Amino acid sequence: MTDLEKKDLAIRATKVRMGIIEGTHAAKAGHPGGSLSAADLFTYLYFKELNVDPKNPQDPDRDRFVLSKGHTAPGLYAALALRGFFPWEDLLTLRQIGSHLQGHPNMNSTPGVDMSTGSLGQGVSAAAGMALAARHMGKTCRVYTLLGDGEIEEGQVWEAFMFAANYKLDNFVALIDKNGLQIDGRTSDVMDSGDIAAKLRAFGFEAMEIDGHNFDEMEAAFQKARETKGKPFGIVMHTIKGMGVSYMQDAVEWHGKAPGDAEYETAMNELNAHLAELEAK
Amino acid sequence: MSDIKKMATRDGYGTALVKLGEEHEDLIVFDADLAAATKTGVFRKAFPNRHFECGIAEGNMMAVAAGAASMGLVPFASSFAMFAAGRAFEQVRNSIGYPHLNVKIGATHGGISVGEDGASHQCCEDFALMRSIPGMVVLCPSDAVEAEAAVRAAYEHVGPVYLRFGRLAIPVFHDENNFKFEIGKGETLREGDDVAVIATGLMVYEALQAAEALKAEGIHARVINLCTIKPLDTELVLKAAKECGRIVTAEEHSVVGGLGEAVCAAVAESGIPCKVKRVGVNDEFGHSGPAAALLKQFGLSAENIAKVVKEF
């Protein structure tokens, strides 16, 4: 990837982060922490990896993305808006009555959302079902799903992983946002998931661990995923929850709390400063 | 009527899947290690490439089916009623019902007639659970002929459908050459104005027998088969309420949340003066035993329906 491409992605990721802050601030609710940790991934997916068309969001041959950790919808919505699936201003209607932007993704209300999710552990199964169906129908599209590292405590996740490996779904990529925090505290304290990549391999996946804020590493991982045949692919992304907003970084209280007015100002000032810095490069 | 052919409604499910499979390439079947028992095994044999085993993981199976449906396939996800409606309730609610995906849930071994396996496998709560999901169609065929027709109608319906089938071989009283089925439409099997017995599943044949016995005592019972538990054929139910003034519901399900309560709600809200009594499992768990003996013991019989009718 060229430096220019990386700069472009970094700028867009910063805008996605601003969208997360704008949306959750306007909603006075929502989940900024895990949205921010995955903001770089959302950006990479929608601007580099996924074969999708905002003008034809229901294209039957498009790649699918299932946000299994559905509570981080503000991040997905910001990326979709930035990619042109719907107006950016819609982000300010997040969680309001009449808005197409539900608290958790709704495939029937929001253009670009491929599966309704929110109940943890279910999106990954739906994504596996999509991958199986795509292969059965002779489609070459690929299916991606993003899980939280807390979410993988749900047993159904491992049922889905077994299923994906059993059916050798090499069009299926499971991404795990390992930000190390969940509502009740550090994931290692609440329910230690140990070596996730090793567990994925034990379940029959090809797996890689990357820095979830590094676009070069994402590119390499997705490239390897495409080259891997006969196995599903897992990417464990080491991330920082709340990434990009100083007081939210690695702070458990920002899992599911919206910024107030003063906090909003601080966050937007930081992100605007970062944006100016990137654009000046 | 003792030499009437008997067959389980789950057999009608398997037969219908094979027939539909020949007609429709987009029909696929998921199973959770129960293909032999759910009778989807015959589909697997006919179309091995369109049958997908999910292993003993019903929750995953339901969400997998939802994903496959979102791609344009028409999946039938099969398990026992206890696990399809019970264990996987939340997956059905959130991954199938909420997005209104085109998944058909083929739930066999519903009710107490599961028999020897006992209470853990005798699901008498599935109507209640599935009725509570917005947009879910709930079907419970009364014999193998109706089962086949219901499976076909479920395929043709766009949206989620829950189908409840039984394990026990029961009388096949519908004429397969002259049977029309429509989701949401009840079937009046016998006319009468003294009382209406509104039944579903294997209780329909019991209701017919009860009506025959009551006739000897000068009581003319109307018998209505409601295969569609949801959406309820309110028109037919209220017509019965108006014309008969007394209704007995009969279902192989808990009296809590099933057909009986659906009928009670419709009648109560209509303002039509009509008394309703419910025959069903009286808010208790079953236990092991031969199916026929259990049905008798729990009052799921023609004799009990007739008895309840006479208690008005």
Side-chain angles (χ1 to χ4, degrees):
Chain A
M1 201 182 321
T2 64
D3 285 348
L4 197 64
E5 278 180 293
K6 267 185 275 188
K7 175 183 163 177
D8 181 60
L9 284 172
I11 288 170
R12 291 186 203 277
T14 307
K15 289 178 179 169
V16 166
R17 289 192 161 91
M18 292 166 108
I20 293 164
I21 298 302
E22 294 270 15
T24 53
H25 171 250
K28 298 186 171 64
H31 297 80
S35 298
L36 291 166
S37 66
D40 296 308
L41 175 77
F42 290 134
T43 307
Y44 189 90
L45 284 173
Y46 282 95
F47 287 91
K48 192 124 171 75
E49 181 66 17
L50 296 177
N51 175 28
V52 289
D53 178 5
K55 291 190 198 71
N56 186 15
Q58 292 298 320
D59 180 354
D61 295 320
R62 70 191 186 278
D63 287 341
R64 265 65 170 186
F65 174 65
V66 177
L67 182 60
S68 201
K69 55 170 213 157
H71 55 283
T72 60
L76 172 62
Y77 296 160
L80 287 171
L82 198 63
R83 185 72 170 81
F85 281 87
F86 50 84
W88 183 259
E89 296 73 43
D90 289 6
L91 296 179
L92 297 176
T93 68
L94 175 69
R95 290 179 167 240
Q96 302 300 314
I97 290 173
S99 173
H100 69 88
L101 300 177
Q102 294 296 295
H104 294 81
N106 178 347
M107 66 186 288
N108 293 321
S109 72
T110 304
V113 170
D114 291 324
M115 181 65 201
S116 301
T117 52
S119 180
L120 296 176
Q122 295 191 29
V124 58
S125 298
M130 289 175 187
L132 181 84
R135 189 177 65 191
H136 177 74
M137 297 164 90
K139 290 179 183 293
T140 54
C141 63
R142 296 173 64 74
V143 183
Y144 301 78
T145 184
L146 175 65
L147 303 98
D149 57 346
E151 179 181 8
I152 65 171
E153 291 157 14
E154 286 282 4
Q156 185 178 338
V157 168
W158 302 95
E159 295 179 4
F161 286 166
M162 245 192 289
F163 179 92
N166 180 68
Y167 284 101
K168 301 179 169 53
L169 299 177
D170 53 19
N171 55 350
F172 175 83
V173 180
L175 298 138
I176 293 155
D177 184 6
K178 187 172 163 50
N179 60 35
L181 293 176
Q182 58 189 115
I183 300 177
D184 277 357
R186 300 231 160 253
T187 301
S188 54
D189 294 331
V190 175
M191 186 54 63
D192 195 349
S193 50
D195 187 339
I196 300 169
K199 285 186 165 77
L200 280 165
R201 290 185 193 108
F203 270 68
F205 276 59
E206 188 68 45
M208 261 179 93
E209 293 195 60
I210 63 167
D211 173 352
H213 302 302
N214 183 311
F215 296 125
D216 280 327
E217 292 191 21
M218 279 184 205
E219 183 179 47
F222 283 121
Q223 181 61 32
K224 191 163 179 215
R226 268 190 299 277
E227 288 164 0
T228 300
K229 299 297 170 202
K231 279 181 173 188
F233 202 84
I235 305 175
V236 179
M237 306 187 310
H238 293 266
T239 60
I240 295 166
K241 201 158 181 169
M243 181 69 171
V245 176
S246 60
Y247 59 88
M248 289 188 184
Q249 286 186 186
D250 200 35
V252 73
E253 64 269 30
W254 289 100
H255 170 88
K257 187 173 76 166
D261 291 346
E263 290 154 338
Y264 166 80
E265 290 298 330
T266 307
M268 291 304 283
N269 286 341
E270 287 180 17
L271 290 167
N272 271 310
H274 186 57
L275 190 63
E277 201 179 293
L278 286 167
E279 282 170 341
K281 261 189 194 170
Chain B
M1 285 174 109
S2 58
D3 59 348
I4 190 167
K5 184 174 111 181
K6 286 187 174 182
M7 197 188 274
T9 51
R10 61 177 166 147
D11 285 308
Y13 176 47
T15 307
L17 285 178
V18 173
K19 287 182 185 170
L20 283 165
E22 282 161 7
E23 298 167 30
H24 304 286
E25 277 289 321
D26 58 2
L27 190 158
I28 62 168
V29 171
F30 289 107
D31 257 293
D33 197 36
L34 288 169
T38 62
K39 298 298 172 187
T40 54
V42 293
F43 181 91
R44 178 172 62 186
K45 202 173 168 199
F47 306 103
N49 297 332
R50 284 195 269 151
H51 179 273
F52 300 98
E53 186 54 74
C54 295
I56 309 165
E58 297 80 9
N60 180 59
M61 175 176 72
M62 292 303 173
V64 160
S70 81
M71 300 294 287
L73 297 175
V74 185
F76 278 73
S78 310
S79 184
F80 288 176
M82 189 69 255
F83 314 125
R87 186 189 191 98
F89 171 77
E90 205 240 308
Q91 286 82 1
V92 173
R93 192 264 190 200
N94 272 324
S95 289
I96 297 173
Y98 175 46
H100 200 69
L101 285 164
N102 198 24
V103 176
K104 318 303 168 185
I105 300 161
T108 68
H109 295 60
I112 207 153
S113 60
V114 162
E116 290 82 352
D117 274 352
S120 62
H121 285 55
Q122 294 164 342
C123 184
C124 296
E125 302 87 7
D126 51 338
F127 297 165
L129 290 162
M130 293 295 111
R131 273 181 71 219
S132 70
I133 299 173
M136 180 68 73
V137 168
V138 181
L139 304 177
C140 179
S142 58
D143 70 2
V145 169
E146 189 169 48
E148 266 200 61
V151 175
R152 182 170 290 276
Y155 173 84
E156 286 162 2
H157 176 84
V158 179
V161 179
Y162 177 82
L163 298 123
R164 191 230 248 195
F165 306 106
R167 170 177 183 261
L168 182 68
I170 55 171
V172 180
F173 61 89
H174 283 109
D175 175 6
E176 64 180 323
N177 300 312
N178 188 26
F179 181 64
K180 295 263 180 294
F181 180 83
E182 194 183 334
I183 288 172
K185 291 284 176 216
E187 178 191 22
T188 304
L189 291 167
R190 188 180 174 118
E191 293 293 349
D193 285 342
D194 294 331
V195 62
V197 181
I198 300 178
T200 194
L202 60 69
M203 292 305 286
V204 175
Y205 188 74
E206 298 299 315
L208 284 169
Q209 287 191 307
E212 190 62 31
L214 289 164
K215 188 184 161 195
E217 300 183 43
I219 300 169
H220 300 283
R222 181 177 303 189
V223 175
I224 293 172
N225 166 26
L226 282 191
C227 174
T228 310
I229 308 285
K230 185 187 178 182
L232 191 73
D233 188 347
T234 310
E235 198 184 322
L236 193 64
V237 169
L238 296 186
K239 186 168 176 278
K242 209 169 177 177
E243 293 173 1
C244 304
R246 290 183 292 185
I247 289 174
V248 173
T249 62
E251 61 194 312
E252 193 196 2
H253 184 275
S254 171
V255 293
V256 177
L259 174 69
E261 283 196 354
V263 167
C264 282
V267 171
E269 289 183 346
S270 74
I272 296 168
C274 174
K275 288 182 179 171
V276 183
K277 287 182 185 285
R278 292 170 295 156
V279 170
V281 176
N282 290 310
D283 199 19
E284 60 187 323
F285 290 108
H287 51 238
S288 290
L294 287 173
L295 289 168
K296 201 169 177 213
Q297 186 189 1
F298 283 83
L300 303 171
S301 62
E303 294 73 28
N304 191 45
I305 292 171
K307 180 171 164 273
V308 171
V309 164
K310 286 187 278 184
E311 282 168 1
F312 270 115

